[in-house]
Amino acid sequence: MPRIRALAALGFLLCLPFATAAAKQPAAAPAAQANAGCADIPFAAANAAAVSVPSAPDAWGGPRKGDEATLSDRVVRYEIQATLDPAKHTIDGKQKLTWRNRSAQPVCAVYLHLYLNAFESANSTFMTEQRNLSFAFRSDVPIEDGDWGYSRLQKVQQGGQAVKWRYVQPDGGPSTDRTVVRLDLPQPVAPGASTTLDIDFFNQLPRVTARTGYYGTFHLVAQWFPKIGVLETPGERGATAPRWNVHEFHMHSEFYADFGEYDVRITVPKDYTVGATGEETGAPVERDGKITRRFVQGDVHDFAWTADNRYAKPLDGTYEGPGSPKVKVRVLYHPEYENNAQPALQATIDSLAYFSRTLGPYPYKTVTVVIPPFNAQEAGGMEYPTFFTASSYKNVDPGTLTRYALDFVTIHEFGHGYFYGILASNEFEEPMLDEGLNEYWDQRMLRERKQGLDVTTPFLKKIGFAPNLAGFDMERLGAMNDAPGDALGQNSWNRMSSRSYGTVYARTATTMHDLEQAVGKEALERAFKLYYARWKFRHPSIADFREALIEGTGQRATVERIFAQQVYSTRKVDDSIAQFSSKEALPVPGYVERGGKRIELTSEALDKAVADKRKAWKEKHPKAKEGEGPFPYRTMVLVKRDGADVPQTLRVTFADGSSETVRFSGTQPWQRFSWTKRSKAVSAQLDPDGNINLDRNKLDNGRTLESDRSATRRWTGDVAAALQTLFAMLVSL
């Protein structure tokens, strides 16, 4: 999210909750009295985070077996008519929202998200977190006068009766936040029954910011319609009683919604190209210089679209794979980024194949990819069901940093179609289940592709400078291994810093890497397939993910240890070699008994005896290596543990080519190991196979006593650290 410039204003203006256009909105209607016998349902806790108790087996209707009439247990249906004014960047909308009460009690009030109100002024929860907590959202583009956006309810009716509403702050945010609205229903919704709300609304889109908005003629229309919150029932994501999960729109939070069906008609000027969630249905209808296109998609929980009159002819492709329908892939791009279209198309098709094979078949018939135009980069890198935005770069030559970035963002945003889309976790409260697991699976795909991070530009590549960094080494850079600020299972808004929120991506991927190394690649893939099969088209919690890992790998102790250390709490991992020595075990002076007599071995006599024995040994072994001789060597390694207990490996290599390997675990802050052998030790290495990427410092994991280049492998994990400065230079070239 771009930082906001400090605005000079008169003192009395600082007290106003809204400015300019937002101030014209009508005052919220007061809440109606609760219906007799219809108790209010409480909100999910304002500090809700990682769930520790698994959901009930029948949560969200139980696992989808594949023989049901619909992919998901549809809870909501949206019929929307939206008309875009591309000059004013506004949307006039009419929405028919049909919602089913899944609880066992009547519902007399429902709650809607009005996400665009995060951008109506500097007084929203989103903006105050940026200002008061020094949080930052991706870019540093300031919001200028006239760049604000908002969403306004014009009319809400239930069965022809007016519905009163008022704005609420479920998380205790500022009273000026209007991203959640309560609707008091004239007619309660009985258990198992449905109700339909007719809603007229108006949107002013902001200048492109935080996943939505416009730039010039380009429009990314997201978080744009009044969207009902999720009513969770007992046994679902730790709930013990019905509760509304409907958090304010925080700076780092994303989304959580029920599965349903969307039937959306979008009206734009006839020269505008439209891309959207779902399949275009029926023939476009043209009237008065405008064209209306209809998009329909079932079994999704959000809907986004784009419109622009500068899009080039779309680039189309198809994917056909086992268990999936024939998938139409469309890339929308502007002429200046034509060279981005084909790589984005190929990365999407490759992702369809990989995710379908390793998790489960892609269930939808479309994927739409948007390459954002110049100066609208903040619209890039965002996911919606069957629809996502990638990135855009001037040069995307293979083997360069920008090509890697385009491929990675495309794969990452497609991957959200599984972890955010089909698995539908709560991104407000448990963002690691989407961003983190997706990041891990992306890196697995790139590893299989043998595609590392190419840290170079076309010019530098021509002159022979083209270092390549493995993906999981890259993730270590962002994992805050030195001093992690928050547990991975923490929610999206209660964070030490924006950097700490970033560990949701990198530290989760690094933790899953280490879990994979502990249980095996195939075992972890088996567990992820189980997780996907069990929880697709439902809403799993972290506890549900944990249990699937335990069952799928068969290694409960390992999974529970990692979750206890990294998901439900935060523990750094920091093992190091504190001392390393390998010295000859020579005879020592003093009295000894021989033949019943006490004899003193003097230092002088011992020195002569040692020298004579060495001379004789060298004459007999003229080709002996350095570190070999007539006396054994006593080798000692002291390992220091200043962090969480992780099963560790120590490997000591000797001059004769032999090695000793010990495996150990425990919370003792140090452990000492020793060997007495005929050969001198030359190197000692912790984690020689690179299984523990969470270790805060790889450089103190190894020591050498002789010049031995094989021991330099310990540097591999942290060579990346030296490249951080280089990254900044490359991006600016």
Side-chain angles (χ1 to χ4, degrees):
M1 176 65 192
R3 294 184 181 276
I4 304 175
R5 293 178 181 173
L7 299 176
L10 296 175
F12 75 92
L13 288 178
L14 294 177
C15 299
L16 293 178
F18 316 109
T20 59
K24 300 175 183 176
Q25 299 189 41
Q33 294 295 319
N35 290 279
C38 185
D40 269 358
I41 295 173
F43 296 124
N47 62 348
V51 175
S52 59
V53 179
S55 299
D58 62 349
W60 314 106
R64 308 300 288 178
K65 300 176 182 178
D67 56 359
E68 297 88 354
T70 56
L71 294 174
S72 68
D73 180 25
R74 299 177 183 178
V75 177
V76 63
R77 174 178 170 81
Y78 294 91
E79 297 177 54
I80 308 175
Q81 299 177 35
T83 300
L84 172 69
D85 183 332
K88 296 179 180 178
H89 315 295
T90 60
I91 297 169
D92 281 297
K94 293 183 180 296
Q95 172 173 294
K96 187 180 292 292
L97 188 166
T98 301
W99 174 79
R100 174 165 53 90
N101 177 11
R102 299 172 52 251
S103 77
Q105 67 183 73
V107 171
C108 54
V110 299
Y111 297 87
L112 304 180
H113 292 283
L114 296 178
Y115 287 115
L116 281 183
N117 283 342
F119 314 115
E120 69 175 338
S121 81
N123 293 311
S124 67
T125 294
F126 189 107
M127 295 297 182
T128 55
E129 287 177 344
Q130 180 190 55
R131 182 172 63 254
N132 297 338
L133 304 179
S134 298
F135 284 179
F137 189 88
R138 300 198 302 193
S139 71
D140 197 30
V141 178
I143 294 183
E144 306 282 2
D145 291 343
D147 287 350
W148 304 97
Y150 60 88
S151 187
R152 183 172 70 215
L153 294 180
Q154 308 274 53
K155 181 187 72 174
V156 182
Q157 291 184 337
Q158 181 194 36
Q161 291 182 277
V163 175
K164 295 182 179 182
W165 70 83
R166 60 185 171 94
Y167 298 100
V168 295
Q169 297 78 38
D171 301 329
S175 61
T176 47
D177 183 79
R178 308 207 301 181
T179 57
V180 179
V181 63
R182 170 177 169 138
L183 307 183
D184 288 288
L185 303 177
Q187 297 297 323
V189 187
S194 297
T195 191
T196 297
L197 301 174
D198 292 297
I199 303 172
D200 291 355
F201 65 97
F202 175 83
N203 293 333
Q204 171 64 63
L205 295 177
R207 161 69 165 79
V208 71
T209 186
R211 316 179 184 96
T212 191
Y214 71 89
Y215 179 75
T217 59
F218 169 77
H219 297 81
L220 175 63
V221 186
Q223 301 98 55
W224 61 287
F225 59 94
K227 187 177 184 184
I228 197 163
V230 178
L231 180 61
E232 296 178 326
T233 64
E236 296 174 344
R237 296 192 59 262
T240 57
R243 67 187 184 192
W244 279 103
N245 203 301
V246 58
H247 295 286
E248 298 156 36
F249 193 10
H250 299 271
M251 167 152 281
H252 293 309
S253 67
E254 292 187 73
F255 313 107
Y256 177 46
D258 282 315
F259 282 101
E261 184 178 11
Y262 289 81
D263 187 339
V264 182
R265 289 174 168 83
I266 299 169
T267 301
V268 297
K270 66 178 182 180
D271 60 336
Y272 270 61
T273 299
V274 175
T277 293
E279 298 179 75
E280 186 167 1
T281 302
V285 177
E286 186 175 337
R287 182 178 180 183
D288 299 330
K290 297 180 179 180
I291 193 165
T292 299
R293 299 182 180 276
R294 181 186 180 195
F295 294 85
V296 175
Q297 183 62 60
D299 307 302
V300 294
H301 48 78
D302 208 346
F303 188 99
W305 53 285
T306 182
D308 197 347
N309 64 0
R310 289 189 58 244
Y311 280 130
K313 181 181 178 182
L315 179 64
D316 291 332
T318 58
Y319 166 77
E320 296 184 70
S324 293
K326 183 176 181 180
V327 182
K328 177 181 179 181
V329 183
R330 166 161 288 188
V331 181
L332 299 177
Y333 62 94
H334 290 74
E336 66 265 30
Y337 291 124
E338 182 179 4
N339 60 342
N340 287 231
Q342 184 59 46
L345 176 66
Q346 190 59 55
T348 302
I349 292 173
D350 290 351
S351 298
L352 278 160
Y354 181 80
F355 280 76
S356 293
R357 174 169 57 83
T358 59
L359 291 174
Y362 184 77
Y364 307 116
K365 296 181 180 180
T366 65
V367 179
T368 299
V369 185
V370 178
I371 305 293
F374 182 71
N375 262 354
Q377 287 85 350
E378 190 51 63
M382 187 55 203
E383 72 282 355
Y384 295 95
T386 79
F387 176 99
F388 66 85
T389 62
S391 293
S392 48
Y393 300 96
K394 180 179 179 181
N395 186 290
V396 288
D397 287 354
T400 63
L401 179 60
T402 48
R403 176 56 178 271
Y404 176 88
L406 176 61
D407 285 352
F408 180 84
V409 173
T410 302
I411 292 167
H412 182 81
E413 302 310 328
F414 171 84
H416 279 303
Y418 277 74
F419 290 101
Y420 143 82
I422 300 168
L423 285 166
S425 53
N426 185 332
E427 294 182 292
F428 281 100
E429 297 177 0
E430 298 179 311
M432 70 159 280
L433 288 181
D434 173 40
E435 297 292 359
L437 299 188
N438 182 34
E439 187 98 346
Y440 166 64
W441 218 252
D442 303 337
Q443 290 294 0
R444 280 179 59 114
M445 175 179 167
L446 289 163
R447 182 177 63 188
E448 185 173 292
R449 274 179 139 201
K450 296 180 170 54
Q451 184 176 1
L453 173 61
D454 297 299
V455 192
T456 191
T457 66
F459 171 75
L460 292 175
K461 187 178 179 182
K462 285 180 182 178
I463 63 175
F465 181 82
N468 184 277
L469 180 66
F472 283 112
D473 287 338
M474 179 189 77
E475 299 296 346
R476 285 193 76 245
L477 296 177
M480 286 185 74
N481 287 340
D482 188 57
D486 294 293
L488 291 176
Q490 182 57 284
N491 60 45
S492 61
W493 64 90
N494 189 17
R495 292 272 167 174
M496 183 180 75
S497 63
S498 289
R499 184 187 174 206
S500 180
Y501 175 73
T503 64
V504 166
Y505 299 73
R507 193 168 180 84
T508 302
T510 304
T511 299
M512 289 297 105
H513 164 274
D514 287 7
L515 178 59
E516 176 187 304
Q517 296 300 102
V519 303
K521 177 177 179 290
E522 292 75 17
L524 201 61
E525 185 167 309
R526 184 170 63 246
F528 266 74
K529 283 183 176 179
L530 173 63
Y531 173 59
Y532 177 82
R534 180 175 293 168
W535 290 103
K536 61 185 177 182
F537 300 108
R538 299 166 77 197
H539 301 283
S541 70
I542 281 176
D544 300 323
F545 174 57
R546 181 196 67 212
E547 295 305 302
L549 288 180
I550 290 170
E551 183 176 339
T553 64
Q555 299 192 42
R556 175 176 290 276
T558 299
V559 173
E560 288 187 339
R561 171 182 60 79
I562 287 181
F563 270 63
Q565 291 174 352
Q566 305 301 336
V567 177
Y568 294 112
S569 66
T570 179
R571 294 286 308 280
K572 71 176 179 180
V573 176
D574 188 13
D575 290 343
S576 62
I577 294 178
Q579 294 178 16
F580 175 38
S581 63
S582 190
K583 300 176 181 178
E584 282 183 301
L586 300 174
V588 293
Y591 286 101
V592 297
E593 284 194 12
R594 289 181 181 171
K597 294 182 179 181
R598 185 180 296 274
I599 300 173
E600 182 183 6
L601 298 179
T602 66
S603 297
E604 183 178 355
L606 286 176
D607 288 346
K608 185 178 184 305
V610 167
D612 290 344
K613 191 168 184 177
R614 281 178 173 156
K615 181 179 178 181
W617 194 88
K618 287 183 178 180
E619 289 176 353
K620 189 175 181 180
H621 303 87
K623 296 183 179 180
K625 297 179 181 179
E626 183 180 354
E628 298 177 350
F631 300 101
Y633 283 83
R634 182 174 293 110
T635 296
M636 187 277 293
V637 181
L638 179 65
V639 177
K640 188 172 183 296
R641 170 155 283 175
D642 189 23
D645 170 30
V646 295
Q648 183 60 275
T649 299
L650 170 66
R651 183 172 298 155
V652 178
T653 304
F654 298 86
D656 63 1
S658 65
S659 65
E660 294 285 347
T661 300
V662 293
R663 293 174 176 82
F664 61 95
S665 184
T667 58
Q668 184 176 339
W670 58 267
Q671 294 195 54
R672 184 179 285 113
F673 303 92
S674 63
W675 298 264
T676 300
K677 295 176 60 109
R678 301 297 303 183
S679 185
K680 182 179 181 180
V682 295
S683 69
Q685 181 68 46
L686 284 171
D687 188 30
D689 300 317
N691 294 331
I692 306 173
N693 273 5
L694 285 170
D695 195 305
R696 66 172 292 273
N697 185 3
K698 291 286 188 179
L699 298 181
D700 60 13
N701 282 7
R703 289 204 183 184
T704 60
L705 296 176
E706 300 290 343
S707 178
D708 180 5
R709 292 191 177 275
S710 66
T712 61
R713 286 176 296 177
R714 74 183 189 274
W715 291 76
T716 303
D718 275 276
V719 166
L723 294 174
Q724 289 182 91
T725 303
L726 180 62
F727 287 167
M729 180 191 75
L730 291 172
V731 172
S732 65
L733 290 177

